[in-house]
Amino acid sequence: DTEVTQTPKHLVMGMTNKKSLKCEQHMGHRAMYWYKQKAKKPPELMFVYSYEKLSINESVPSRFSPECPNSSLLNLHLHALQPEDSALYLCASSQVDLIQYQPQHFGDGTRLSIL
Amino acid sequence: ELKVEQNPLFLSMQEGKNYTIYCNYSTTSDRLYWYRQDPGKSLESLFVLLSNGAVKQEGRLMASLDTKARLSTLHITAAVHDLSATYFCAVGGTSGSRLTFGEGTQLTVNP
């Protein structure tokens, strides 16, 4: 079991649907991340939140909309996705204090399929 | 732009054998991480390497870092089937928390 919890584990949606992915951690981490991972590829960074503020957006299309309601929760709102958006979406968290350089802790991911 | 290269990308080895995975990166960094990922699963942190000459060991895995050569190695000793997974190195950039991942090494250990 990981300390970063993602729901749902699987999601199938049509291109016109709106859905949300959720991520929760209770490790006191103040940095949270969304990654997209295609099969047999490394994770690709999408967004970084630091102290609940968006600090990095890797030029992600606007059909992906992140939200960090508090220090423990991270959401990814999905709307009008394309088939190429089908992937494993991973959430991660870490300490913000760079001096510690602790690793990012990953959730188990949400496997997203766009019909 | 930071680039991270791993090799080999695919590694099939027999149980009991030793092998090394290499991770090269293109610009100065002060932190390097190794992760393991089983199929369909999350990434599990294995090692954090922060200084030149750092060496860390856990079971049959040993990781090292040479910041001058911009090279990290992950050495596998007397491989067992349970080590079959994909191994990623990830390098920290100079700006904030961003990590750049290598392509991953898909390791298969055969009986």
Side-chain angles (χ1 to χ4, degrees), chain A residues 3 20 29 33-34 43 46 49-51 57 59 61 65 69 82 87 94 97 103 108-109:
Chain A
E3 297 169 321
S20 297
H29 291 166
Y33 312 78
W34 280 115
M46 300 174 72
Y49 274 82
S50 178
Y51 294 106
N57 176 342
S59 302
S65 175
Q82 303 298 308
S94 74
D97 182 352
D108 285 339

Side-chain angles (χ1 to χ4, degrees), chain A residues 34-38 40-46 88 90 104 106, chain B residues 35 37 43 88-90 99-104:
Chain A
W34 280 115
Y35 288 88
K36 173 183 178 179
Q37 187 179 27
K38 297 286 245 183
K40 301 190 185 302
K41 290 293 185 182
E44 298 172 30
L45 183 64
M46 300 174 72
L88 180 67
L90 293 164
Q104 294 177 18
F106 285 81
Chain B
Y35 286 90
Q37 187 176 35
L43 278 80
F88 292 99
C89 65
L99 293 181
T100 300
F101 282 81
E103 286 293 305

Side-chain angles (χ1 to χ4, degrees), chain A residues 33 37 42 58 101 104 106-107, chain B residues 30 33 35 37 42 97-98 102:
Chain A
Y33 312 78
Q37 187 179 27
E58 293 286 78
Y101 291 150
Q104 294 177 18
F106 285 81
Chain B
D30 52 4
Y33 306 87
Y35 286 90
Q37 187 176 35
S42 181
S97 310
R98 181 185 276 109

Side-chain angles (χ1 to χ4, degrees), chain A residues 14-59:
Chain A
M15 288 191 285
T16 58
N17 293 155
K18 287 186 181 180
K19 295 284 185 186
S20 297
L21 309 185
K22 297 186 183 300
C23 174
E24 188 169 5
Q25 58 88 16
H26 293 288
M27 294 179 282
H29 291 166
R30 301 304 295 275
M32 296 187 77
Y33 312 78
W34 280 115
Y35 288 88
K36 173 183 178 179
Q37 187 179 27
K38 297 286 245 183
K40 301 190 185 302
K41 290 293 185 182
E44 298 172 30
L45 183 64
M46 300 174 72
F47 303 104
V48 180
Y49 274 82
S50 178
Y51 294 106
E52 296 89 67
K53 292 192 186 327
L54 183 65
S55 60
I56 296 175
N57 176 342
E58 293 286 78
S59 302

